[in-house]
Amino acid sequence: MKKEFKMSQARFDELQKELNYLKTTRSDEVAEMIKVARGFGDLSENSEYDEAKNEQGKLYSRISELENVLLHAVIIEEGDMPTDQVTIGSTVTVTAEANGMNRTFKIAGSQEADAMHGVISEDSPFGRALMGHKEGETVTVNAPAGEMKYHIDKIERS
């Protein structure tokens, strides 16, 4: 079974735009870099050529990655999700049972996760543990540091 990449329509459009840029503008820029580097002489000792070819490899890798993500994208309409349980698009406030610390997270698809800004993937261990649960429930997260319990205080939709 192929992996599905759940995301909002806005994120899908962003990735589509990036792919278009990479296939057109950036591809032309890298081709020009290679052409210029070839003009510097012997390719076996030409660091500019090596760097340009490395850049081309990174470009092709990113294009391939984006094509795969977009091919297997599943657009999530947040308005269609239940509001009384944790789903993609939910903003969840939890309290850690161990220390009583409150944290708030937004649950997103894997392509939209940004842990530094409190946006976690539904595929992450924490996200998986929260999915489908309701306010007032306690969930157990299997983390590298061991099992951790969290109480779901509030579920909101933005």
Side-chain angles (χ1 to χ4, degrees):
M1 186 170 111
K2 296 278 185 190
K3 173 150 177 55
E4 292 181 340
F5 298 96
K6 297 175 183 170
M7 65 186 73
S8 65
Q9 183 65 50
R11 180 63 176 158
F12 182 87
D13 294 343
E14 286 174 21
L15 294 178
Q16 190 76 44
K17 185 177 178 181
E18 179 184 353
L19 179 61
N20 186 46
Y21 167 76
L22 293 177
K23 283 184 161 183
T24 56
T25 306
R26 186 66 185 141
S27 182
D28 292 344
E29 292 170 354
V30 171
E32 184 62 26
M33 287 170 56
I34 292 171
K35 181 180 171 186
V36 168
R38 276 193 182 129
F40 292 140
D42 183 10
L43 297 182
S44 65
E45 297 179 13
N46 187 332
S47 64
E48 288 86 0
Y49 180 76
D50 290 341
E51 182 61 35
K53 290 301 279 184
N54 284 339
E55 189 63 30
Q56 184 182 46
K58 287 190 265 183
L59 172 68
Y60 289 160
S61 176
R62 181 65 179 156
I63 287 172
S64 177
E65 177 186 7
L66 286 173
E67 287 176 336
N68 182 53
V69 167
L70 292 170
L71 181 64
H72 298 102
V74 175
I75 306 301
I76 302 298
E77 296 295 332
E78 292 180 15
D80 296 340
M81 299 291 198
T83 58
D84 66 336
Q85 67 185 40
V86 179
T87 60
I88 291 178
S90 297
T91 299
V92 185
T93 302
V94 298
T95 302
E97 283 191 357
N99 59 15
M101 201 164 92
N102 288 28
R103 302 272 319 262
T104 300
F105 299 98
K106 179 168 173 74
I107 309 295
S110 60
Q111 294 297 306
E112 297 174 279
D114 182 359
M116 296 300 291
H117 293 97
V119 181
I120 61 171
S121 168
E122 46 99 23
D123 283 336
S124 70
F126 195 64
R128 271 195 307 272
L130 290 172
M131 292 296 285
H133 287 279
K134 298 180 179 193
E135 283 184 19
E137 293 183 356
T138 298
V139 297
T140 302
V141 179
N142 292 316
E147 284 189 351
M148 302 170 77
K149 293 188 182 287
Y150 293 88
H151 182 266
I152 300 174
D153 300 323
K154 185 163 57 168
I155 301 171
E156 299 175 290
R157 290 260 167 218
S158 10

